[in-house]
Amino acid sequence: MVSKLSNGHRQQPRFLIWGGNGWIAGQLKRLLQEQGKEVHTTTIRMENREAVLSELLLTKPTHVLNAAGCTGRPNVDWCEDNKGQTVRSNVIGTLNLADACYQANIHCTTFATGCIYQYDKTHPVGGRGYTEEDRPNFEGSFYSLTKSHVEPVLSSYPNCLILRLRMPVSDDLHPRNFVTKLLNYERVVNIPNSNTILHDLLPASIMLAEHGETGVYNFTNPGAISHNEVLTLFKDIVRPELSWQNFTLEEQAKVIKADRSNCSLDTSKLVAKLKEYQYEIPEVHEAYEKCFERMKAVGIE
Ligand SMILES: NC(=O)c1ccc[n+]([C@@H]2O[C@H](COP(=O)([O-])OP(=O)(O)OC[C@H]3O[C@@H](n4cnc5c(N)ncnc54)[C@H](OP(=O)(O)O)[C@@H]3O)[C@@H](O)[C@H]2O)c1
């Protein structure tokens, strides 16, 4: 596909993925290579202005895919104790990279998060989901706080596309896959959430970037699915002997440092946009079923 740049010129896209060693970055790189696209990766720190500018000058991408971010290890609880480093990456770095791309006339896609909302009276479990226009109402973790504060500033740049992922799921049992996390927890809460099945959404991210789309998109499959529904599907399709234990949100709160976001996102804007490109993303239950069937087909058990 030939991309239209914001200066009106057309040229073959050259992708540069930031956060090159990360989980989502690796999957993006593989997908672009499979599509026969030119793709480069970098691990340069986003907050290092000079190094970012040099990298852009050297590689001359038409599109930056920013899959870098401070996510915490083993989980986001880490960000509670390392706020300086979290701000440098998720606020200063993310904005610096977007700004450097803006100055160089490069399209910049940021892989952001939808974990900036929580169910409330007007958006209850089973009710309407949060749209891109709703103000974030979840600041229970420092990670989410950095992400929700940076988004409105980032979205004011005319070259920026912001994709809000939630609980991403890959077709393997990588430790960062949301399903792997569920399988490894001693006990799980059971609450519906919007999830991002990467097999469906990563191709959509490339499509949106190539078409020069900008603005904020809830970037999940339509619908919401509970943890027990996910595990039941996994048991039915992949691992018949699976069993698990539930606990309440109150009990969960005792074993985690930062609170966790639970919410459903409205995907109407994304669905309508992708329809323009004849691309459909399956409803989340159907998407999980297909994902687990792909896992089973390659022998994952
Ligand atoms: N996985 C999820 O559950 C999830 C959900 C929603 C949104 N997201 C967002 O999607 C993005 C990618 O997530 P992921 O799961 O692929 O995370 P990941 O595996 O932790 O990868 C993130 C990568 O970013 C790099 N990085 C961190 N700070 C950086 C900085 N200041 N400059 C340059 N690189 C930096 C990390 O390198 P170092 O390890 O060397 O620091 C790491 O390689 C993140 O922004 C994350 O917030 C993830």
Side-chain angles (χ1 to χ4, degrees), residues 127-155:
R128 67 193 172 103
Y130 287 96
T131 71
E132 289 79 357
E133 275 68 50
D134 285 315
R135 284 175 80 88
N137 67 353
F138 175 75
E139 293 191 348
S141 80
F142 192 70
Y143 166 82
S144 291
L145 184 112
T146 59
K147 297 278 188 175
S148 65
H149 281 221
V150 91
E151 194 194 85
V153 184
L154 200 57
S155 65

Short mmCIF file of all heavy atoms in Angstrom, two decimals, residues 127-155:
data_model
loop_
_atom_site.label_atom_id
_atom_site.label_comp_id
_atom_site.label_asym_id
_atom_site.label_seq_id
_atom_site.Cartn_x
_atom_site.Cartn_y
_atom_site.Cartn_z
N GLY A 127 -23.72 -2.52 31.00
CA GLY A 127 -24.33 -1.31 30.43
C GLY A 127 -23.49 -0.76 29.30
O GLY A 127 -22.64 -1.46 28.74
N ARG A 128 -23.71 0.52 29.00
CA ARG A 128 -22.97 1.10 27.86
C ARG A 128 -21.48 1.28 28.21
O ARG A 128 -21.13 1.50 29.38
CB ARG A 128 -23.60 2.42 27.43
CG ARG A 128 -23.49 3.53 28.42
CD ARG A 128 -24.43 4.67 28.02
NE ARG A 128 -24.50 5.70 29.05
CZ ARG A 128 -23.88 6.85 28.97
NH1 ARG A 128 -23.18 7.15 27.90
NH2 ARG A 128 -23.99 7.74 29.94
N GLY A 129 -20.67 1.17 27.18
CA GLY A 129 -19.23 1.29 27.40
C GLY A 129 -18.74 2.73 27.29
O GLY A 129 -19.48 3.61 26.83
N TYR A 130 -17.52 2.95 27.71
CA TYR A 130 -16.92 4.28 27.63
C TYR A 130 -16.51 4.60 26.20
O TYR A 130 -15.92 3.77 25.51
CB TYR A 130 -15.67 4.35 28.53
CG TYR A 130 -16.02 4.38 29.99
CD1 TYR A 130 -16.02 3.21 30.74
CD2 TYR A 130 -16.37 5.57 30.62
CE1 TYR A 130 -16.36 3.23 32.09
CE2 TYR A 130 -16.71 5.60 31.97
CZ TYR A 130 -16.70 4.43 32.69
OH TYR A 130 -17.04 4.45 34.02
N THR A 131 -16.85 5.82 25.76
CA THR A 131 -16.44 6.25 24.43
C THR A 131 -15.12 7.03 24.55
O THR A 131 -14.68 7.36 25.67
CB THR A 131 -17.48 7.18 23.78
OG1 THR A 131 -17.44 8.43 24.46
CG2 THR A 131 -18.87 6.59 23.82
N GLU A 132 -14.56 7.34 23.40
CA GLU A 132 -13.30 8.08 23.36
C GLU A 132 -13.47 9.48 23.97
O GLU A 132 -12.49 10.10 24.37
CB GLU A 132 -12.79 8.20 21.91
CG GLU A 132 -12.28 6.91 21.30
CD GLU A 132 -13.38 5.96 20.80
OE1 GLU A 132 -14.58 6.28 20.97
OE2 GLU A 132 -13.05 4.90 20.25
N GLU A 133 -14.71 9.96 24.01
CA GLU A 133 -14.95 11.32 24.53
C GLU A 133 -15.10 11.35 26.05
O GLU A 133 -15.03 12.41 26.67
CB GLU A 133 -16.23 11.92 23.91
CG GLU A 133 -16.00 12.60 22.57
CD GLU A 133 -15.63 11.60 21.49
OE1 GLU A 133 -16.35 10.60 21.36
OE2 GLU A 133 -14.60 11.80 20.82
N ASP A 134 -15.36 10.20 26.66
CA ASP A 134 -15.54 10.18 28.12
C ASP A 134 -14.23 10.50 28.83
O ASP A 134 -13.17 10.02 28.43
CB ASP A 134 -16.06 8.81 28.58
CG ASP A 134 -17.52 8.61 28.23
OD1 ASP A 134 -18.32 9.55 28.47
OD2 ASP A 134 -17.87 7.53 27.71
N ARG A 135 -14.36 11.27 29.90
CA ARG A 135 -13.15 11.60 30.67
C ARG A 135 -12.71 10.38 31.48
O ARG A 135 -13.56 9.70 32.07
CB ARG A 135 -13.44 12.74 31.66
CG ARG A 135 -13.52 14.10 31.02
CD ARG A 135 -13.92 15.11 32.08
NE ARG A 135 -12.76 15.49 32.88
CZ ARG A 135 -11.95 16.49 32.56
NH1 ARG A 135 -12.20 17.21 31.49
NH2 ARG A 135 -10.93 16.79 33.31
N PRO A 136 -11.41 10.10 31.50
CA PRO A 136 -10.93 8.98 32.32
C PRO A 136 -11.39 9.13 33.78
O PRO A 136 -11.42 10.25 34.30
CB PRO A 136 -9.41 9.10 32.22
CG PRO A 136 -9.17 9.80 30.94
CD PRO A 136 -10.32 10.75 30.77
N ASN A 137 -11.77 8.03 34.40
CA ASN A 137 -12.21 8.10 35.80
C ASN A 137 -11.52 7.05 36.65
O ASN A 137 -11.97 6.73 37.74
CB ASN A 137 -13.74 7.92 35.89
CG ASN A 137 -14.18 6.53 35.48
OD1 ASN A 137 -13.39 5.74 35.00
ND2 ASN A 137 -15.45 6.23 35.69
N PHE A 138 -10.40 6.49 36.11
CA PHE A 138 -9.65 5.52 36.91
C PHE A 138 -8.22 6.02 37.11
O PHE A 138 -7.47 6.16 36.16
CB PHE A 138 -9.62 4.14 36.23
CG PHE A 138 -8.76 3.16 36.96
CD1 PHE A 138 -9.20 2.58 38.15
CD2 PHE A 138 -7.49 2.83 36.50
CE1 PHE A 138 -8.38 1.70 38.86
CE2 PHE A 138 -6.67 1.94 37.20
CZ PHE A 138 -7.13 1.38 38.37
N GLU A 139 -7.90 6.29 38.36
CA GLU A 139 -6.53 6.71 38.66
C GLU A 139 -5.99 5.88 39.82
O GLU A 139 -5.18 6.32 40.62
CB GLU A 139 -6.51 8.21 39.00
CG GLU A 139 -6.84 9.07 37.80
CD GLU A 139 -6.59 10.55 38.00
OE1 GLU A 139 -6.36 10.97 39.16
OE2 GLU A 139 -6.61 11.28 37.00
N GLY A 140 -6.48 4.63 39.88
CA GLY A 140 -6.13 3.74 40.99
C GLY A 140 -4.70 3.22 40.90
O GLY A 140 -4.19 2.66 41.86
N SER A 141 -4.06 3.39 39.73
CA SER A 141 -2.66 2.97 39.63
C SER A 141 -1.86 4.10 39.00
O SER A 141 -2.38 4.85 38.16
CB SER A 141 -2.53 1.70 38.78
OG SER A 141 -2.57 2.02 37.41
N PHE A 142 -0.59 4.21 39.40
CA PHE A 142 0.24 5.29 38.86
C PHE A 142 0.47 5.08 37.36
O PHE A 142 0.51 6.05 36.59
CB PHE A 142 1.57 5.38 39.62
CG PHE A 142 2.31 6.63 39.30
CD1 PHE A 142 1.86 7.86 39.74
CD2 PHE A 142 3.45 6.60 38.50
CE1 PHE A 142 2.53 9.04 39.41
CE2 PHE A 142 4.12 7.77 38.16
CZ PHE A 142 3.65 9.00 38.62
N TYR A 143 0.58 3.82 36.95
CA TYR A 143 0.72 3.50 35.52
C TYR A 143 -0.44 4.12 34.74
O TYR A 143 -0.24 4.84 33.76
CB TYR A 143 0.74 1.97 35.36
CG TYR A 143 0.55 1.48 33.94
CD1 TYR A 143 1.61 1.42 33.04
CD2 TYR A 143 -0.71 1.04 33.50
CE1 TYR A 143 1.43 0.97 31.75
CE2 TYR A 143 -0.90 0.58 32.21
CZ TYR A 143 0.17 0.55 31.34
OH TYR A 143 -0.02 0.11 30.05
N SER A 144 -1.68 3.84 35.16
CA SER A 144 -2.86 4.36 34.45
C SER A 144 -2.90 5.88 34.50
O SER A 144 -3.31 6.53 33.53
CB SER A 144 -4.14 3.79 35.05
OG SER A 144 -4.23 2.41 34.77
N LEU A 145 -2.50 6.43 35.64
CA LEU A 145 -2.51 7.89 35.79
C LEU A 145 -1.60 8.55 34.75
O LEU A 145 -1.98 9.52 34.09
CB LEU A 145 -2.07 8.27 37.21
CG LEU A 145 -2.12 9.74 37.52
CD1 LEU A 145 -3.23 10.02 38.54
CD2 LEU A 145 -0.80 10.23 38.09
N THR A 146 -0.39 7.99 34.57
CA THR A 146 0.52 8.59 33.58
C THR A 146 -0.10 8.49 32.18
O THR A 146 -0.05 9.44 31.40
CB THR A 146 1.92 7.91 33.56
OG1 THR A 146 1.77 6.51 33.26
CG2 THR A 146 2.64 8.08 34.86
N LYS A 147 -0.72 7.36 31.89
CA LYS A 147 -1.29 7.15 30.56
C LYS A 147 -2.49 8.06 30.31
O LYS A 147 -2.64 8.62 29.22
CB LYS A 147 -1.71 5.68 30.40
CG LYS A 147 -0.55 4.69 30.49
CD LYS A 147 0.17 4.59 29.15
CE LYS A 147 1.19 3.47 29.16
NZ LYS A 147 1.81 3.28 27.85
N SER A 148 -3.35 8.22 31.32
CA SER A 148 -4.56 9.03 31.09
C SER A 148 -4.23 10.52 31.02
O SER A 148 -4.90 11.26 30.33
CB SER A 148 -5.62 8.75 32.17
OG SER A 148 -5.16 9.18 33.42
N HIS A 149 -3.15 10.93 31.72
CA HIS A 149 -2.79 12.35 31.67
C HIS A 149 -2.10 12.72 30.37
O HIS A 149 -2.23 13.85 29.90
CB HIS A 149 -1.91 12.71 32.88
CG HIS A 149 -2.73 12.90 34.12
ND1 HIS A 149 -2.50 13.91 35.02
CD2 HIS A 149 -3.78 12.23 34.59
CE1 HIS A 149 -3.40 13.82 36.00
NE2 HIS A 149 -4.17 12.80 35.76
N VAL A 150 -1.38 11.78 29.80
CA VAL A 150 -0.61 12.12 28.60
C VAL A 150 -1.52 12.11 27.35
O VAL A 150 -1.27 12.84 26.39
CB VAL A 150 0.59 11.14 28.45
CG1 VAL A 150 0.26 9.91 27.63
CG2 VAL A 150 1.78 11.84 27.89
N GLU A 151 -2.58 11.33 27.39
CA GLU A 151 -3.38 11.12 26.17
C GLU A 151 -3.98 12.41 25.57
O GLU A 151 -3.84 12.63 24.35
CB GLU A 151 -4.48 10.09 26.46
CG GLU A 151 -5.10 9.59 25.19
CD GLU A 151 -6.40 8.85 25.44
OE1 GLU A 151 -7.45 9.52 25.54
OE2 GLU A 151 -6.36 7.62 25.53
N PRO A 152 -4.62 13.29 26.37
CA PRO A 152 -5.21 14.49 25.76
C PRO A 152 -4.17 15.41 25.13
O PRO A 152 -4.45 16.07 24.13
CB PRO A 152 -5.91 15.20 26.92
CG PRO A 152 -5.81 14.32 28.10
CD PRO A 152 -4.88 13.21 27.81
N VAL A 153 -2.96 15.42 25.70
CA VAL A 153 -1.90 16.26 25.13
C VAL A 153 -1.42 15.64 23.82
O VAL A 153 -1.32 16.30 22.79
CB VAL A 153 -0.73 16.40 26.13
CG1 VAL A 153 0.33 17.35 25.58
CG2 VAL A 153 -1.23 16.89 27.48
N LEU A 154 -1.18 14.33 23.88
CA LEU A 154 -0.73 13.59 22.69
C LEU A 154 -1.72 13.74 21.54
O LEU A 154 -1.34 13.93 20.39
CB LEU A 154 -0.62 12.11 23.10
CG LEU A 154 0.22 11.16 22.28
CD1 LEU A 154 1.66 11.64 22.18
CD2 LEU A 154 0.17 9.77 22.89
N SER A 155 -3.01 13.66 21.86
CA SER A 155 -4.02 13.67 20.80
C SER A 155 -4.19 15.05 20.18
O SER A 155 -4.89 15.20 19.18
CB SER A 155 -5.36 13.15 21.33
OG SER A 155 -5.86 14.03 22.30
#
